Amino acid sequence: MRQNGWKTAVLGAVFGWILAGCQLATGPLAAGSAAPPASYLDRLPQDEIVYFVLPDRFENADKSNDLGGLEGGRLDHGFDPAAKGFYHGGDLKGLTERLDYIQGLGASAIWIGPVYQNKAVQGPAGDESSAYHGYWITDFTRPDRHLGTEEDMHAFVEAAHARGMKVYLDIITNHSADVIQYRECPETACGYRSVADYPYTTRGGPDGAAINDGFMGDQAPFQTKENFDRLTDTDFAWTPFVPVGEEHVKVPDWLNDPRFYHNRGNSTFEGESSLYGDFFGLDDLATESPEVVDGFIQIYEDWITRYRIDGFRIDTARHVNPEFWQAFNAAVIAHAKSLGIEHFYVFGEAAITPPDQLARFTRTGGFPAVLDFALQKTVADVLIDGRPTLGFLPLFQADDLYGDGSAEIAPTFAGNHDMGRFAGFLRTAHPDMGDEEMLKRVELAHALLVFARGVPVIYYGDEQGFVSDGNDQLAREDMMPSEVALYNDNDLLGTDATTAQSNFDTAHPLYKAIAGMSALFHEHEALRRGKQVVRLAEEHGGVFAFSRLDEPGGEYLVVLNMRNEAREVNVLVDPRSQTFEALAGACPAQVATTGVVSVAIEPLGWMVCRSNGWEN
């Protein structure tokens, strides 16, 4: 058996877990009226393996919605399957048809990119692109017609729930589509104008004409409706206006009022502008306003009510004031609980890597969890840049900085739709690396995600060996047959296929590897919920080991060799552990001496070893 293999019997365990642990529904759920099976609702966030997918890039099951009900050319409807930045035709029906594939990988939850109605095309002449990604919302209340109908959304969620799978929606509150314009542009580049240089109470600077009499600013003590009612003039920095014909394009209608936006120009993503600036021109909402807070709570509570959604991934969390998050997160979690969804999972995106800065969002923003960009960076440091595994020690020691239990449910990932794919990072850093070594490194990265603390997130296509050329649009390949030349010339890992073909191969070596890991994860509760203890993080080497403690007594020892050389190392274990059973890899049968096991591990190998039980 290969060191990073597993017992053949385990490969089917994930299917047994799904059938035994999830009471499958016998018919479709009525819209907004029926709850998923009870055992499904009982699962904690850390019990899930999450599959993250952009619906437009997955499967096209309904070609009638490719144009989103719009007429004209591609700059009108946004559909051009040969262009990487335009709609390609994937839809909610396609996701529903491929649930077998996703569940077969071992995923028990699906995080889908934003599904809301978007402004189809944006961008300056010659540099336009479409809203296939879902982040340019005009109507926050219904699915984008390129993806399907409300009925299609219900059918997708109900089909997932019937299988005992959860659905997490990507949501946005920081910005809407780029509709509001400034009269000074494009003659003047509308860069960011600060609050101090362009106060709310004067027009065009401190010496300008007085406006908004009595407005006390937007800081926490003054975030009241009474105060914001005094903010009637919006031209304190630039002169915002809504173009003719778009006065009511946003839904709900309050979103069309410039009073509810910051109107300070484009963000530099530094300092104050990170909160107040337009995100690449997108209309930046004034989330300090109580009406904006209440409006978004109502919008997203309605999605929970209508579809029985199981959680939210919250976009651009770092660009919104903490008072908004404190109110919003508490409200939607309480609303879900009132509907019987006890473990509604909210996790924020703050694209920063220092753990102390990430932890701040769980302490001051009321986030149950945030995406673990710190772990992603450390995995890349070790597996791509060859740094010692000692870097994992301070990473996990920083878990104490997070809110209670937040580190245990932090979503962990190796790459994503914004930064790019882990395999792409590898190929860029090591263009001469062979496919076999790259496969092992990608597998090893996923082994760490699955078995370490946190909630593992698999980015769609990674399990099919996708190797992106870069970030953003370059890392959003099609799973269905692609017409994009920049995708189709990529050499995928572990297969002779290209993205020009359909890539739902359940025999792909990475798919099989992740499915095997997932089976262990679902079969052994300690690998999901057990307290993590770091056992070995080498100062100069590439071996990393940790235990997940079993509540009744015992431990699961996970050992990973992050370098391309065989190693023999001594690893600390609990002194009560005497013998070990190999769940994956060539585990030692017994300890070398009290509290120590001697491990021989192959290059880029990993193992999972279960100790004998011991009394606490």
Side-chain angles (χ1 to χ4, degrees):
M1 179 186 290
R2 294 178 62 232
Q3 188 113 6
N4 55 349
W6 44 77
K7 295 183 175 180
T8 303
V10 170
L11 284 172
V14 65
F15 303 106
W17 172 84
I18 290 166
L19 292 173
C22 303
Q23 302 163 14
L24 298 184
T26 57
L29 301 174
S33 63
S39 59
Y40 161 97
L41 289 171
D42 290 340
R43 297 205 307 264
L44 299 176
Q46 59 265 44
D47 291 333
E48 315 301 343
I49 290 179
V50 182
Y51 191 77
F52 170 39
V53 58
L54 296 178
D56 176 69
R57 300 302 167 93
F58 204 62
E59 182 68 288
N60 188 351
D62 184 357
K63 294 187 182 300
S64 70
N65 60 34
D66 286 355
L67 305 186
L70 302 173
E71 298 179 352
R74 72 174 200 143
L75 297 184
D76 300 299
H77 51 64
F79 178 71
D80 184 350
K84 62 180 174 56
F86 282 74
Y87 285 101
H88 289 176
D91 47 41
L92 292 165
K93 286 183 178 179
L95 272 178
T96 306
E97 287 187 1
R98 290 294 185 178
L99 284 174
D100 275 347
Y101 169 87
I102 297 171
Q103 192 169 34
L105 186 65
S108 55
I110 306 172
W111 155 19
I112 58 175
V115 298
Y116 323 98
Q117 184 66 45
N118 272 233
K119 188 174 184 178
V121 177
Q122 289 185 177
D127 194 27
E128 301 92 347
S129 62
S130 83
Y132 69 92
H133 44 67
Y135 293 101
W136 301 342
I137 305 172
T138 52
D139 186 342
F140 284 79
T141 67
R142 63 181 175 91
D144 191 301
R145 292 297 181 249
H146 291 86
L147 303 180
T149 64
E150 288 90 341
E151 290 75 16
D152 295 335
M153 183 69 191
H154 278 297
F156 165 66
V157 177
E158 291 163 6
H161 283 170
R163 295 166 174 266
M165 302 176 76
K166 296 182 180 180
V167 175
Y168 304 145
L169 282 189
D170 208 315
I171 72 168
I172 303 96
T173 65
N174 174 67
H175 56 262
S176 65
D178 182 12
V179 175
I180 297 173
Q181 304 299 311
Y182 303 130
R183 296 207 180 277
E184 294 84 353
C185 303
E187 288 78 9
T188 301
C190 283
Y192 183 74
R193 288 184 166 177
S194 72
V195 177
D197 291 335
Y198 295 87
Y200 290 103
T201 52
T202 60
R203 182 174 287 115
D207 298 327
I211 56 174
N212 299 320
D213 183 45
F215 183 65
M216 302 296 291
D218 60 7
Q219 298 305 300
F222 311 109
Q223 292 172 2
T224 65
K225 186 177 186 304
E226 180 184 20
N227 182 46
F228 272 83
D229 282 345
R230 303 185 185 112
L231 184 62
T232 57
D233 292 305
T234 58
D235 55 347
F236 38 79
W238 300 103
T239 309
F241 71 97
V242 177
V244 174
E246 295 188 285
E247 294 89 348
H248 299 284
V249 71
K250 295 180 185 178
V251 180
D253 195 58
W254 63 265
L255 286 160
N256 296 295
D257 190 339
R259 291 189 309 117
F260 296 128
Y261 297 84
H262 285 128
N263 303 310
R264 291 189 171 276
N266 286 330
S267 177
T268 67
F269 302 102
E270 299 292 339
E272 175 188 296
S273 83
S274 186
L275 287 178
Y276 290 90
D278 293 342
F279 196 90
F280 295 107
L282 298 168
D283 299 347
D284 193 70
L285 281 141
T287 47
E288 300 80 12
S289 166
E291 291 181 80
V292 174
V293 177
D294 292 343
F296 273 119
I297 288 173
Q298 183 175 340
I299 286 169
Y300 289 116
E301 283 185 351
D302 186 58
W303 278 86
I304 300 171
T305 301
R306 280 192 290 158
Y307 298 106
R308 297 302 177 109
I309 299 303
D310 306 292
F312 290 152
R313 179 268 192 185
I314 299 182
D315 183 62
T316 51
R318 64 182 295 198
H319 303 298
V320 174
N321 57 302
E323 298 84 10
F324 177 93
W325 295 130
Q326 292 162 12
F328 180 87
N329 289 335
V332 297
I333 291 170
H335 180 71
K337 186 169 290 189
S338 75
L339 299 175
I341 308 171
E342 291 288 333
H343 304 297
F344 191 80
Y345 185 34
V346 173
F347 56 102
E349 180 229 19
I352 47 181
T353 56
D356 58 333
Q357 294 186 37
L358 283 171
R360 178 172 61 88
F361 291 89
T362 67
R363 293 288 186 182
T364 65
F367 277 96
V370 288
L371 282 155
D372 200 341
F373 282 87
L375 185 141
Q376 189 281 332
K377 181 180 184 300
T378 306
V379 171
D381 286 347
V382 173
L383 267 174
I384 296 175
D385 297 338
R387 297 182 184 178
T389 57
L390 183 65
F392 285 112
L393 187 58
L395 169 75
F396 290 120
Q397 287 174 335
D399 285 357
D400 293 338
L401 300 175
Y402 291 82
D404 292 344
S406 293
E408 285 76 13
I409 62 170
T412 59
F413 62 101
N416 65 24
H417 60 315
D418 290 328
M419 64 170 49
R421 297 185 184 275
F422 186 82
F425 307 150
L426 266 174
R427 184 161 285 172
T428 299
H430 306 283
D432 297 327
M433 182 179 289
D435 279 6
E436 183 177 358
E437 182 176 348
M438 284 190 66
L439 270 171
K440 288 183 177 180
R441 289 182 182 273
V442 173
E443 179 182 327
L444 198 55
H446 283 85
L448 181 69
L449 299 184
V450 170
F451 299 122
R453 67 97 179 106
V455 179
V457 177
I458 301 162
Y459 182 41
Y460 85 96
D462 282 358
E463 78 283 1
Q464 292 295 323
F466 282 16
V467 182
S468 60
D469 289 327
N471 65 345
D472 195 70
Q473 295 179 7
L474 293 171
R476 300 170 180 178
E477 300 97 324
D478 303 309
M479 292 284 281
M480 57 197 176
S482 180
E483 299 178 33
V484 179
L486 283 171
Y487 297 160
N488 294 342
D489 66 1
N490 291 349
D491 291 327
L492 308 187
L493 298 178
T495 179
D496 294 328
T498 72
T499 54
Q501 302 161 253
S502 182
N503 281 279
F504 296 96
D505 181 10
T506 58
H508 190 286
L510 285 173
Y511 183 98
K512 292 172 65 177
I514 295 171
M517 299 171 198
S518 301
L520 289 176
F521 175 92
H522 290 305
E523 185 179 5
H524 300 278
E525 183 178 300
L527 292 175
R528 309 189 303 274
R529 303 187 185 184
K531 178 183 177 182
Q532 177 173 296
V533 179
V534 174
R535 298 300 191 188
L536 176 63
E538 293 193 297
E539 185 174 359
H540 302 291
V543 175
F544 179 57
F546 57 90
S547 291
R548 301 296 300 269
L549 303 185
D550 193 5
E551 184 68 25
E555 65 186 304
Y556 287 74
L557 178 67
V558 181
V559 185
L560 308 102
N561 183 4
M562 307 284 193
R563 292 190 180 171
N564 200 13
E565 57 185 10
R567 292 290 305 282
E568 295 184 8
V569 294
N570 295 317
V571 179
L572 294 174
V573 293
D574 190 282
R576 291 167 290 183
S577 293
Q578 299 294 318
T579 61
F580 286 89
E581 173 191 2
L583 300 181
C587 297
Q590 59 188 21
V591 297
T593 187
T594 301
V596 177
V597 292
S598 296
V599 173
I601 187 165
E602 68 179 19
L604 300 174
W606 58 273
M607 61 179 65
V608 180
C609 316
R610 179 171 59 183
S611 81
N612 61 292
W614 29 262
E615 294 184 3
N616 293 305

